[in-house]
Amino acid sequence: MRIATGFAALGLLLVAACTSNVGEPSWSSAMSTSAVGGFPGCSGLYNTHPSPTGAYYATDFGCSSNPYFTDPGDTCGSASCIQSAYDEGVCSSGQSHASCQRAVNWYAVGGASYGCGARLQVTNPANGKSVVVMVLDNGPSCTVENDANFWVLDVSYPTIMYLFGSEEGWADHARIQASVVGSSTPLGPTTGAPPPPPPADAGSGAGDDAASGDDAASGSCELAGQSYAPNTCTETQQCDSGAWVARTSDPANCATGVLPSGACVTDGGSVVPENTCTSTLQCDNGVWVDRFTDPAACL
């Protein structure tokens, strides 16, 4: 968390239960059409309405495992929101709040505005990177949003690092877009536009099985929980008929433009921006090429 940008007291404010009405603001006059074009202000303990456009400034908080991170003074999730993770089987009832957050790893605040346990797809519009997170806490404090004069969404440390590559505070104005997705949407990095929320009574059923079958038939490959099309390449591997093979053993060219904004996939499954460099390779429109054949400067 970026203490320098006003989050030092946030941990004490996030302990309130998601269902609590204490300090809830009156929005009858604040929420109007003007809110779409500008932040209307926040009163009470924390905002009970999401950004009407899905736009937020991103910050980071909490307790995560990959990479391991503990936000000093944070309670690692409110009791009611952590309960939603127990109820969904994402965490076991014997786990502490901190252990549960680390098990989930990809999470955000928003219990008062989106509801505990909701899943959000958050996207950095500047680079197209996108992550699905689970709401495990309330917040942020209305004090924070009013200082920022904009909607603020705290996300886990792994989420902020994936989206931006660095910690961010509200004063950095790191913009993200958030939208609600279905409760069965896998958590973590994703690609493409967010899927629409499912109907209220929709189940997973045959539709999920059919989608899996289509993926398998297409010859796609799995890496770090994500599916990639044939001829997607990492630094040393290439997707060939559903399996990762050494790039030198497959004569087919690597596919370009696999991810938004020319990003590339690493051998470990991370997604890095175009013009990211290793000691010998450079990311060029989705493909790792020899650094010395690409005239663009390394990031």
Side-chain angles (χ1 to χ4, degrees), residues 153-197:
L153 191 71
D154 279 346
V155 297
S156 67
Y157 182 78
T159 301
I160 206 85
M161 293 301 290
Y162 177 80
L163 293 176
F164 294 96
S166 62
E167 287 194 82
E168 303 291 339
W170 64 258
D172 299 310
H173 295 181
R175 286 288 287 264
I176 55 173
Q177 285 292 131
S179 58
V180 178
V181 294
S183 60
S184 62
T185 308
L187 300 174
T190 185
T191 58

Side-chain angles (χ1 to χ4, degrees), residues 6 37 65 110 264 267 275 293:
S65 61
C264 290
D267 284 340
N275 292 321
T293 65

Side-chain angles (χ1 to χ4, degrees), residues 1 10-11 14 59-65 67-77 97-98 101-102 105 107 109 137 154-158 167:
M1 179 186 298
L10 181 56
L14 297 179
T59 63
D60 58 275
F61 82 111
C63 302
S64 61
S65 61
Y68 194 88
F69 180 77
T70 299
D71 185 12
D74 193 86
T75 59
C76 298
H97 290 187
Q101 272 200 351
R102 292 193 170 104
N105 206 46
Y107 54 82
V109 300
D137 211 337
D154 279 346
V155 297
S156 67
Y157 182 78
E167 287 194 82

Side-chain angles (χ1 to χ4, degrees), residues 7-271:
F7 279 80
L10 181 56
L12 296 176
L13 294 172
L14 297 179
V15 297
C18 289
T19 55
S20 172
N21 292 320
V22 177
E24 217 172 78
S26 172
W27 282 79
S28 58
S29 59
M31 280 302 290
S32 65
T33 55
S34 64
V36 176
F39 181 65
C42 179
S43 61
L45 186 60
Y46 36 71
N47 211 331
T48 57
H49 290 261
S51 163
T53 63
Y56 290 90
Y57 291 153
T59 63
D60 58 275
F61 82 111
C63 302
S64 61
S65 61
N66 185 24
Y68 194 88
F69 180 77
T70 299
D71 185 12
D74 193 86
T75 59
C76 298
S78 68
S80 292
C81 279
I82 291 294
Q83 184 62 47
S84 68
Y86 298 151
D87 293 343
E88 290 188 27
V90 178
C91 299
S92 64
S93 59
Q95 288 180 295
S96 66
H97 290 187
S99 295
C100 180
Q101 272 200 351
R102 292 193 170 104
V104 174
N105 206 46
W106 308 98
Y107 54 82
V109 300
S113 52
Y114 288 105
C116 296
R119 299 201 180 194
L120 309 176
Q121 185 161 329
V122 292
T123 303
N124 177 352
N127 60 19
K129 289 187 176 183
S130 182
V131 179
V132 174
V133 297
M134 185 177 187
V135 173
L136 287 186
D137 211 337
N138 287 309
S141 161
C142 272
T143 302
V144 172
E145 288 198 323
N146 288 331
D147 285 344
N149 196 30
F150 202 70
W151 294 270
V152 175
L153 191 71
D154 279 346
V155 297
S156 67
Y157 182 78
T159 301
I160 206 85
M161 293 301 290
Y162 177 80
L163 293 176
F164 294 96
S166 62
E167 287 194 82
E168 303 291 339
W170 64 258
D172 299 310
H173 295 181
R175 286 288 287 264
I176 55 173
Q177 285 292 131
S179 58
V180 178
V181 294
S183 60
S184 62
T185 308
L187 300 174
T190 185
T191 58
D201 58 350
S204 52
D208 290 338
D209 292 337
S212 299
D214 290 344
D215 288 343
S218 71
S220 61
C221 299
E222 297 293 319
L223 181 62
Q226 299 299 307
S227 181
Y228 295 99
N231 293 323
T232 296
C233 289
T234 68
E235 297 105 315
T236 64
Q237 301 180 91
Q238 184 169 2
C239 177
D240 182 24
S241 300
W244 292 102
V245 300
R247 282 182 60 174
T248 54
S249 69
D250 189 332
N253 293 326
C254 295
T256 58
V258 173
L259 298 172
S261 304
C264 290
V265 186
T266 69
D267 284 340
S270 300
V271 177

